[in-house]
Amino acid sequence: MRAVRFHEHGGPEVLQVDDVDRPEPASDEVLVAVAAAGVNPVDTYFREGSYTPYGLPAIPGVDAAGEAVEVGADVDRIAAGDAVFATGLSSDRPGGYAEYVAVPEDRIAVLPDGADLTAAGGAGVASVTAWRALVDHGGLRPAETALIHGGSGGVGHVAVQVAAATGARVITTAAPQYHDRLEALGADAVFDYGRDDLADAVTDATGGDGVDVTLDHRLDDYLQFDADVAAAGGRVVGIGENDDEIGLARSSAARGKDLQVTLLSMFNTPRLADPLADVAALWAAGDLTVDVARTYPIVEAVEAQRDVMADSFLGKLVIEP
Ligand SMILES: NC(=O)c1ccc[n+]([C@@H]2O[C@H](COP(=O)([O-])OP(=O)(O)OC[C@H]3O[C@@H](n4cnc5c(N)ncnc54)[C@H](OP(=O)(O)O)[C@@H]3O)[C@@H](O)[C@H]2O)c1
């Protein structure tokens, strides 16, 4: 089969397409004929070597979706022919940028009838992270207000929908060209993240009460902001930063609100199949779509990984092997 691999760590140019053996699924695994594999920032961290992949040469791709073509004897939730999506790949085993991938049964779920496989390829990391952050870590409740920084991103645009599905009031930030789409996805208020008066705008949008749950993908930029706009009892869930130093400049105000700050890695999810199944249920109910901004053939993985870090887009970039 054809697979993208990197034989050494480095820039996007270390990615190449190789002919490799098709994987044989173990008894607790499902062999998926990959229709689509989402392109995530984390794929570039494995390629650069800031995260450690399972070995070299490595097949990247944390996400994959497609048809289950072989099912191990110990797997009873999934049958050959099912349309499935998976996440959590490429850290300890080969990833989804390939024609086939073997997936452990605890990292895969069946898609709703009629789900678009290209969109499903981009769903894994984005939707599981959004769900874990807002529901499991943030404990978002219907009468509360959520703030999603970067609502146009892969995680952000799903988080807007997950938050809206809980019934919470949803505030998000994004570049102006994405505001209409984010309102259509369920945001009650959308602000340009470049505004000088962003804190006032967010606070006003809460009626002065403050934000209950914040999903922050740039903690070094926004942790103090998050504390300043938080309600008493607010929760901040951090999923990323550009700089490791993310301290609070003014901690006493945050303490006065009993602010909780939680950091989350999707890879620590006890059983990825569970939030994937929750997401599939939301999708089946019509409460979730995954927007695909652009697709790439397997030979353009270099461009795809460049674009995911450098371009502005709404939703997901997806490789179709
Ligand atoms: N901890 C975890 O388990 C976990 C899981 C998933 C993702 N992450 C991390 O979370 C981050 C987002 O992931 P993603 O997949 O959603 O990436 P993405 O699709 O590239 O989205 C990033 C978003 O951030 C926006 N943005 C850029 N500058 C901003 C600013 N100053 N303020 C607010 N938003 C800004 C971008 O908008 P424009 O392009 O329009 O500027 C873009 O929409 C990445 O750092 C990723 O590594 C962590």
Side-chain angles (χ1 to χ4, degrees), residues 39-42 45 125-126 129 149-156 173-175 177-178 193 217-218 221-222 238-242 264-267 308-309 311-313 315-316:
V39 181
N40 287 288
V42 69
Y45 313 153
V125 168
T129 304
H149 288 287
S152 61
V155 176
T173 66
Q177 64 268 32
Y178 305 127
Y193 61 68
H217 67 310
R218 298 171 72 102
D221 287 335
Y222 291 118
I239 63 164
E241 61 280 315
N242 297 319
L264 173 159
S265 169
M266 189 208 74
F267 286 101
V308 77
M309 299 309 284
D311 275 9
S312 177
F313 52 86
K316 293 296 303 177

Side-chain angles (χ1 to χ4, degrees), residues 189-217:
V190 189
F191 301 117
D192 184 348
Y193 61 68
R195 273 176 74 148
D196 290 337
D197 62 345
L198 187 61
D200 290 341
V202 168
T203 303
D204 287 351
T206 68
D209 295 336
V211 174
D212 298 297
V213 177
T214 298
L215 173 51
D216 188 341
H217 67 310

Side-chain angles (χ1 to χ4, degrees), residues 42-96:
V42 69
D43 298 339
T44 73
Y45 313 153
F46 282 115
R47 188 207 67 227
E48 288 167 346
S50 48
Y51 284 23
T52 310
Y54 60 97
L56 293 177
I59 302 177
V62 178
D63 291 339
E67 182 186 339
V69 288
E70 275 182 54
V71 176
D74 298 337
V75 181
D76 49 15
R77 277 184 314 113
I78 289 165
D82 283 348
V84 291
F85 69 138
T87 193
L89 308 173
S90 85
S91 58
D92 59 344
R93 55 187 303 111

Side-chain angles (χ1 to χ4, degrees), residues 131-303:
W131 185 283
R132 294 278 294 157
L134 294 171
V135 180
D136 295 343
H137 287 247
L140 183 64
R141 297 194 298 272
E144 292 189 317
T145 299
L147 168 63
I148 317 292
H149 288 287
S152 61
V155 176
H157 87 296
V158 176
V160 164
Q161 298 173 72
V162 170
T166 68
R169 179 168 176 75
V170 184
I171 302 169
T172 191
T173 66
Q177 64 268 32
Y178 305 127
H179 290 195
D180 288 351
R181 179 62 184 151
L182 289 169
E183 282 170 6
L185 292 176
D188 296 293
V190 189
F191 301 117
D192 184 348
Y193 61 68
R195 273 176 74 148
D196 290 337
D197 62 345
L198 187 61
D200 290 341
V202 168
T203 303
D204 287 351
T206 68
D209 295 336
V211 174
D212 298 297
V213 177
T214 298
L215 173 51
D216 188 341
H217 67 310
R218 298 171 72 102
L219 284 163
D220 48 326
D221 287 335
Y222 291 118
L223 183 57
Q224 184 63 55
F225 176 101
D226 300 340
D228 292 343
V229 302
R235 289 88 76 198
V236 175
V237 186
I239 63 164
E241 61 280 315
N242 297 319
D243 186 320
D244 272 352
E245 288 192 25
I246 57 167
L248 285 168
R250 297 181 295 281
S251 58
S252 58
R255 188 182 324 108
K257 294 174 176 176
D258 277 11
L259 187 77
Q260 294 177 41
V261 179
T262 315
L263 307 186
L264 173 159
S265 169
M266 189 208 74
F267 286 101
N268 292 335
T269 306
R271 190 181 146 79
L272 286 160
D274 293 338
L276 283 172
D278 288 330
V279 165
L282 213 55
W283 199 331
D287 289 330
L288 182 98
T289 62
V290 176
D291 281 19
V292 176
R294 214 174 301 148
T295 62
Y296 300 80
I298 195 169
V299 292
E300 290 179 10
V302 171
E303 289 78 6

